Amino acid sequence: MRVLVAEFRQESNSFTPVTSPMEFWQQNGILRGSQVRETLGGTPSAVGGMIAALEESELQPEIVYGTTMSCQSGGKAEQEVLDYFLENLEREIIESLPLDGVFLSFHGALQTTEVDDPEALIARRVRELVGEGCVIAASTDLHGYISQDLITTLNILCAYHTYPHVDYFETGHRTATLGLAAATAEVKPVMAWAPIPMIVSASTYNTHRGPFRELMEYGESLVAEGTLLDFSLYQMQPWLDIPVGNSTALAIATDRETAASYARELAGRLYAARHEFTTNLMSIDDVIDRAESADAAKPVILVDSADSCNAGAPGDSMAVAARILERGTTVRAAVVVNDSTAARQAHEVGVGNRARFTIGGTRDPKVVRVEVEAYVRSLHDGVFTQEGPAGRGMVNRIGRTAVLRVGTLDIVVCEWMAGNGDPQLFRAHGVEPTLYDLVGVKANTSFRAGYTAFAGEICETDTPGSAAASLDRLDFQRLPRTLYPWTDAEDVTFPVAFSPAVAR
Ligand SMILES: [Zn+2]
């Protein structure tokens, strides 16, 4: 048996004007061959999970390592990035034929400057090369857009079961285990797909509590009792402006009827809960009021999800800092901003000195910027290790970083942002969140994994930006208004499509 493992993964945001060029992808490192095993083997990543499942398997498959490339969420990938990946993958596949499996780590919500559904395009190209007898299996984020085109091309697809995402490894492991079963088992897994005509704000659900958690637990109970081999539930992320869109339920069983009926049932249950996924956002001023209030437990976390790099926004908005400065509040506050110009300037100015800075708006000209005199409190190389629990141990490099102080406001300024849901983005730079009244976090839900342990209050806030929590703030041009929340149909039937059987 021979299986090729590769990765091409980014969550794209259609609304930011800043595209994701090759240099952006190179920041995470592009790996191939033995580098993949050395770098990702044993890590809590989807590729790490695939490698573990393959190495544990009694089938002892030969593993061929193809190209792996992933990057921080951002604007649409430049088309040359997809072309580069495809060129490499096609060569790697041709050189290692015949293959029994091609196992891919995707996000599912990638968009390029020219292609709206690159994952489906990649799967089609792979199929053309490997034929119908080879298993194509992929892992994805549960925020992916899963098209009929994708599902009718590959054989196995598995999404994370957690949000905040803490099961990258487990998802890769499930994908590879089912992929091997699809290649060898007497009774082949059958995968059914049911599209759900809804998108909701990503800040309205997580798997810690509420209807989304209940649905995940129901799906897991079906797997535990042996009714299903696997299931996935996708809430398509709402920053993708494409001509077709849907959330998705997938069910994998040993027969078509079971797979189809549970895909429909899971889809129906998610759709029935649609009204429970509503945003309840505070204004920036309301949150500053809370931080000023003696009644509020500290630190108050101001969730600036609209400028979350995890959701593809540039992270360069100073909307929160601007309000803090305009109000002249004396709350001890900390915020973070992605501004390479200000970060480099701070390194020139030096620790202990003051200078006039323009901060913010260097990537998206529409966002709020501030002009202030600031004191350079500390300078850093921007290398930090995530404390987790999500992504614990992952190393982030955010370039030259500085902590600037204006009154009682500390601003962490970096050359580019990563790990923005992890408290170490502040702590590693000498800004201890528990010593502040207000901490502005540029993340959507990922931060809850690390922040819940010490947050006094968590305030979802109505901030401006290309990853706005409120769908009303987003300028959809292409996505059909036949989806909920624009259309709220009661009687919805869920069409089902199947993935092809592996011809062996
Ligand atoms: Zn996600």
Short mmCIF file of all heavy atoms in Angstrom, two decimals, residues 151 154-157 178 181-182 187-193 227-231 250-260 263 496-502:
data_model
loop_
_atom_site.label_atom_id
_atom_site.label_comp_id
_atom_site.label_asym_id
_atom_site.label_seq_id
_atom_site.Cartn_x
_atom_site.Cartn_y
_atom_site.Cartn_z
N ILE A 151 -17.74 16.92 -2.96
CA ILE A 151 -18.19 15.68 -2.32
C ILE A 151 -18.34 14.56 -3.33
O ILE A 151 -18.19 13.38 -3.02
CB ILE A 151 -19.50 15.94 -1.54
CG1 ILE A 151 -19.45 15.18 -0.22
CG2 ILE A 151 -20.73 15.57 -2.29
CD1 ILE A 151 -18.45 15.73 0.74
N LEU A 154 -14.26 13.36 -4.11
CA LEU A 154 -13.43 12.60 -3.17
C LEU A 154 -14.28 11.55 -2.46
O LEU A 154 -15.49 11.46 -2.64
CB LEU A 154 -12.70 13.52 -2.19
CG LEU A 154 -13.44 14.63 -1.46
CD1 LEU A 154 -14.49 14.07 -0.55
CD2 LEU A 154 -12.45 15.47 -0.68
N ASN A 155 -13.63 10.71 -1.63
CA ASN A 155 -14.32 9.58 -1.01
C ASN A 155 -14.62 9.79 0.47
O ASN A 155 -15.62 9.30 0.97
CB ASN A 155 -13.48 8.31 -1.16
CG ASN A 155 -13.03 8.07 -2.58
OD1 ASN A 155 -11.89 8.37 -2.93
ND2 ASN A 155 -13.93 7.59 -3.42
N ILE A 156 -13.70 10.46 1.15
CA ILE A 156 -13.83 10.63 2.60
C ILE A 156 -13.53 12.08 2.95
O ILE A 156 -12.53 12.65 2.48
CB ILE A 156 -12.83 9.72 3.36
CG1 ILE A 156 -13.12 8.24 3.11
CG2 ILE A 156 -12.79 10.05 4.86
CD1 ILE A 156 -14.39 7.70 3.76
N LEU A 157 -14.38 12.67 3.79
CA LEU A 157 -14.15 14.04 4.26
C LEU A 157 -14.52 14.09 5.75
O LEU A 157 -15.57 13.60 6.14
CB LEU A 157 -15.03 15.00 3.46
CG LEU A 157 -14.73 16.49 3.58
CD1 LEU A 157 -13.34 16.82 3.05
CD2 LEU A 157 -15.77 17.30 2.79
N LEU A 178 -10.30 6.34 8.23
CA LEU A 178 -11.40 6.05 7.30
C LEU A 178 -10.88 5.90 5.87
O LEU A 178 -11.41 5.08 5.10
CB LEU A 178 -12.44 7.17 7.37
CG LEU A 178 -13.33 7.13 8.61
CD1 LEU A 178 -14.00 8.49 8.84
CD2 LEU A 178 -14.40 6.04 8.47
N ALA A 181 -9.66 2.47 5.59
CA ALA A 181 -10.81 1.55 5.54
C ALA A 181 -11.44 1.57 4.15
O ALA A 181 -11.81 0.53 3.60
CB ALA A 181 -11.84 1.93 6.60
N ALA A 182 -11.54 2.76 3.56
CA ALA A 182 -12.13 2.87 2.23
C ALA A 182 -11.28 2.12 1.19
O ALA A 182 -11.79 1.64 0.18
CB ALA A 182 -12.28 4.33 1.83
N VAL A 187 -16.52 -4.11 3.57
CA VAL A 187 -17.69 -3.23 3.39
C VAL A 187 -17.18 -1.79 3.40
O VAL A 187 -16.66 -1.32 4.40
CB VAL A 187 -18.71 -3.43 4.53
CG1 VAL A 187 -19.94 -2.55 4.30
CG2 VAL A 187 -19.11 -4.90 4.64
N LYS A 188 -17.29 -1.14 2.28
CA LYS A 188 -16.71 0.20 2.13
C LYS A 188 -17.54 1.27 2.82
O LYS A 188 -18.77 1.22 2.77
CB LYS A 188 -16.63 0.57 0.65
CG LYS A 188 -15.88 -0.42 -0.21
CD LYS A 188 -14.40 -0.18 -0.15
CE LYS A 188 -13.66 -1.04 -1.18
NZ LYS A 188 -12.51 -1.70 -0.56
N PRO A 189 -16.89 2.25 3.45
CA PRO A 189 -17.65 3.38 3.98
C PRO A 189 -18.36 4.15 2.85
O PRO A 189 -17.79 4.29 1.76
CB PRO A 189 -16.56 4.28 4.61
CG PRO A 189 -15.32 3.46 4.65
CD PRO A 189 -15.45 2.39 3.63
N VAL A 190 -19.57 4.59 3.13
CA VAL A 190 -20.34 5.39 2.16
C VAL A 190 -20.58 6.76 2.79
O VAL A 190 -21.01 6.85 3.93
CB VAL A 190 -21.71 4.74 1.88
CG1 VAL A 190 -22.50 5.59 0.89
CG2 VAL A 190 -21.54 3.32 1.37
N MET A 191 -20.31 7.82 2.03
CA MET A 191 -20.46 9.17 2.59
C MET A 191 -21.61 9.89 1.89
O MET A 191 -21.65 9.97 0.66
CB MET A 191 -19.17 9.96 2.45
CG MET A 191 -19.25 11.35 3.08
SD MET A 191 -17.63 12.07 3.37
CE MET A 191 -17.07 12.32 1.70
N ALA A 192 -22.52 10.43 2.71
CA ALA A 192 -23.66 11.22 2.18
C ALA A 192 -23.52 12.67 2.63
O ALA A 192 -23.08 12.95 3.74
CB ALA A 192 -24.98 10.64 2.66
N TRP A 193 -23.91 13.57 1.73
CA TRP A 193 -23.77 15.01 1.92
C TRP A 193 -25.14 15.67 1.85
O TRP A 193 -25.93 15.37 0.96
CB TRP A 193 -22.89 15.52 0.79
CG TRP A 193 -22.82 16.98 0.47
CD1 TRP A 193 -21.94 17.89 0.96
CD2 TRP A 193 -23.60 17.70 -0.52
NE1 TRP A 193 -22.12 19.12 0.36
CE2 TRP A 193 -23.14 19.03 -0.55
CE3 TRP A 193 -24.65 17.34 -1.37
CZ2 TRP A 193 -23.68 20.00 -1.40
CZ3 TRP A 193 -25.19 18.30 -2.21
CH2 TRP A 193 -24.70 19.62 -2.21
N THR A 227 -23.82 3.29 14.84
CA THR A 227 -24.77 3.57 13.76
C THR A 227 -24.05 4.22 12.58
O THR A 227 -24.30 3.90 11.43
CB THR A 227 -25.88 4.51 14.28
OG1 THR A 227 -26.47 3.90 15.43
CG2 THR A 227 -26.94 4.75 13.22
N LEU A 228 -23.16 5.16 12.91
CA LEU A 228 -22.37 5.83 11.87
C LEU A 228 -20.89 5.51 12.08
O LEU A 228 -20.44 5.26 13.21
CB LEU A 228 -22.55 7.36 11.94
CG LEU A 228 -23.94 7.91 11.61
CD1 LEU A 228 -23.92 9.45 11.71
CD2 LEU A 228 -24.41 7.48 10.23
N LEU A 229 -20.13 5.58 10.98
CA LEU A 229 -18.67 5.47 11.08
C LEU A 229 -18.07 6.83 11.42
O LEU A 229 -17.04 6.92 12.07
CB LEU A 229 -18.08 4.97 9.76
CG LEU A 229 -18.47 3.55 9.34
CD1 LEU A 229 -17.97 3.26 7.93
CD2 LEU A 229 -17.91 2.53 10.33
N ASP A 230 -18.74 7.89 10.94
CA ASP A 230 -18.24 9.25 11.18
C ASP A 230 -19.33 10.23 10.76
O ASP A 230 -20.27 9.88 10.04
CB ASP A 230 -16.96 9.51 10.37
CG ASP A 230 -16.17 10.70 10.91
OD1 ASP A 230 -15.68 10.61 12.04
OD2 ASP A 230 -16.07 11.73 10.21
N PHE A 231 -19.19 11.47 11.23
CA PHE A 231 -20.11 12.52 10.80
C PHE A 231 -19.34 13.84 10.86
O PHE A 231 -18.34 13.96 11.56
CB PHE A 231 -21.34 12.61 11.72
CG PHE A 231 -21.03 13.31 13.02
CD1 PHE A 231 -21.38 14.64 13.22
CD2 PHE A 231 -20.34 12.65 14.02
CE1 PHE A 231 -21.06 15.30 14.40
CE2 PHE A 231 -20.00 13.30 15.20
CZ PHE A 231 -20.36 14.62 15.40
N LEU A 250 -22.55 15.89 6.95
CA LEU A 250 -22.01 14.69 6.30
C LEU A 250 -22.22 13.51 7.23
O LEU A 250 -22.03 13.63 8.45
CB LEU A 250 -20.50 14.81 6.07
CG LEU A 250 -19.95 15.85 5.13
CD1 LEU A 250 -18.42 15.69 5.06
CD2 LEU A 250 -20.55 15.70 3.75
N ALA A 251 -22.59 12.37 6.68
CA ALA A 251 -22.66 11.15 7.47
C ALA A 251 -21.97 10.04 6.70
O ALA A 251 -22.17 9.89 5.49
CB ALA A 251 -24.11 10.78 7.75
N ILE A 252 -21.13 9.29 7.40
CA ILE A 252 -20.44 8.15 6.80
C ILE A 252 -20.92 6.88 7.50
O ILE A 252 -20.89 6.79 8.73
CB ILE A 252 -18.90 8.30 6.92
CG1 ILE A 252 -18.45 9.62 6.29
CG2 ILE A 252 -18.20 7.11 6.27
CD1 ILE A 252 -16.94 9.88 6.37
N ALA A 253 -21.43 5.93 6.70
CA ALA A 253 -21.95 4.68 7.26
C ALA A 253 -21.51 3.54 6.36
O ALA A 253 -20.77 3.75 5.39
CB ALA A 253 -23.48 4.75 7.35
N THR A 254 -21.98 2.34 6.65
CA THR A 254 -21.61 1.21 5.81
C THR A 254 -22.65 0.95 4.72
O THR A 254 -22.47 0.06 3.91
CB THR A 254 -21.41 -0.07 6.65
OG1 THR A 254 -22.55 -0.24 7.49
CG2 THR A 254 -20.16 0.03 7.51
N ASP A 255 -23.75 1.69 4.72
CA ASP A 255 -24.71 1.55 3.61
C ASP A 255 -25.29 2.93 3.27
O ASP A 255 -25.30 3.85 4.10
CB ASP A 255 -25.83 0.57 3.97
CG ASP A 255 -26.69 1.09 5.09
OD1 ASP A 255 -26.32 0.92 6.27
OD2 ASP A 255 -27.73 1.71 4.80
N ARG A 256 -25.79 3.04 2.04
CA ARG A 256 -26.26 4.33 1.53
C ARG A 256 -27.47 4.86 2.30
O ARG A 256 -27.54 6.06 2.57
CB ARG A 256 -26.65 4.19 0.05
CG ARG A 256 -25.46 4.15 -0.88
CD ARG A 256 -25.88 3.73 -2.28
NE ARG A 256 -26.52 4.80 -3.05
CZ ARG A 256 -25.87 5.65 -3.84
NH1 ARG A 256 -24.56 5.60 -3.94
NH2 ARG A 256 -26.53 6.57 -4.51
N GLU A 257 -28.40 3.98 2.64
CA GLU A 257 -29.64 4.43 3.28
C GLU A 257 -29.33 5.08 4.63
O GLU A 257 -29.86 6.14 4.96
CB GLU A 257 -30.63 3.26 3.47
CG GLU A 257 -31.24 2.73 2.19
CD GLU A 257 -30.22 2.04 1.28
OE1 GLU A 257 -29.27 1.40 1.80
OE2 GLU A 257 -30.34 2.17 0.04
N THR A 258 -28.49 4.42 5.42
CA THR A 258 -28.15 4.96 6.74
C THR A 258 -27.43 6.29 6.59
O THR A 258 -27.74 7.28 7.28
CB THR A 258 -27.27 3.96 7.53
OG1 THR A 258 -27.94 2.70 7.56
CG2 THR A 258 -27.02 4.45 8.95
N ALA A 259 -26.45 6.33 5.69
CA ALA A 259 -25.68 7.57 5.50
C ALA A 259 -26.62 8.70 5.08
O ALA A 259 -26.57 9.81 5.64
CB ALA A 259 -24.59 7.35 4.46
N ALA A 260 -27.51 8.42 4.14
CA ALA A 260 -28.41 9.47 3.63
C ALA A 260 -29.38 9.92 4.71
O ALA A 260 -29.60 11.13 4.90
CB ALA A 260 -29.18 8.95 2.42
N ALA A 263 -27.50 12.03 7.32
CA ALA A 263 -27.07 13.34 6.77
C ALA A 263 -28.26 14.28 6.77
O ALA A 263 -28.17 15.44 7.20
CB ALA A 263 -26.51 13.16 5.36
N VAL A 496 -29.69 15.07 -1.11
CA VAL A 496 -28.51 14.32 -0.66
C VAL A 496 -27.69 13.91 -1.88
O VAL A 496 -28.24 13.56 -2.92
CB VAL A 496 -28.94 13.07 0.14
CG1 VAL A 496 -27.78 12.09 0.31
CG2 VAL A 496 -29.48 13.48 1.51
N ALA A 497 -26.37 14.02 -1.76
CA ALA A 497 -25.48 13.49 -2.79
C ALA A 497 -24.49 12.55 -2.11
O ALA A 497 -24.24 12.67 -0.91
CB ALA A 497 -24.76 14.62 -3.50
N PHE A 498 -23.93 11.63 -2.88
CA PHE A 498 -23.00 10.65 -2.33
C PHE A 498 -21.61 10.80 -2.93
O PHE A 498 -21.48 11.19 -4.10
CB PHE A 498 -23.49 9.22 -2.64
CG PHE A 498 -24.79 8.89 -1.96
CD1 PHE A 498 -25.99 9.07 -2.64
CD2 PHE A 498 -24.82 8.41 -0.66
CE1 PHE A 498 -27.21 8.77 -2.03
CE2 PHE A 498 -26.02 8.11 -0.04
CZ PHE A 498 -27.22 8.29 -0.73
N SER A 499 -20.63 10.45 -2.14
CA SER A 499 -19.29 10.37 -2.68
C SER A 499 -19.15 9.06 -3.44
O SER A 499 -19.84 8.09 -3.14
CB SER A 499 -18.26 10.42 -1.54
OG SER A 499 -18.30 11.70 -0.97
N PRO A 500 -18.27 9.03 -4.43
CA PRO A 500 -18.15 7.81 -5.24
C PRO A 500 -17.57 6.65 -4.42
O PRO A 500 -16.79 6.86 -3.50
CB PRO A 500 -17.20 8.23 -6.36
CG PRO A 500 -16.44 9.39 -5.82
CD PRO A 500 -17.37 10.10 -4.88
N ALA A 501 -17.97 5.45 -4.77
CA ALA A 501 -17.38 4.27 -4.14
C ALA A 501 -15.99 4.06 -4.73
O ALA A 501 -15.73 4.39 -5.89
CB ALA A 501 -18.25 3.05 -4.43
N VAL A 502 -15.10 3.53 -3.93
CA VAL A 502 -13.74 3.26 -4.41
C VAL A 502 -13.77 1.98 -5.25
O VAL A 502 -14.24 0.94 -4.77
CB VAL A 502 -12.76 3.09 -3.23
CG1 VAL A 502 -11.35 2.84 -3.73
CG2 VAL A 502 -12.80 4.35 -2.36
#
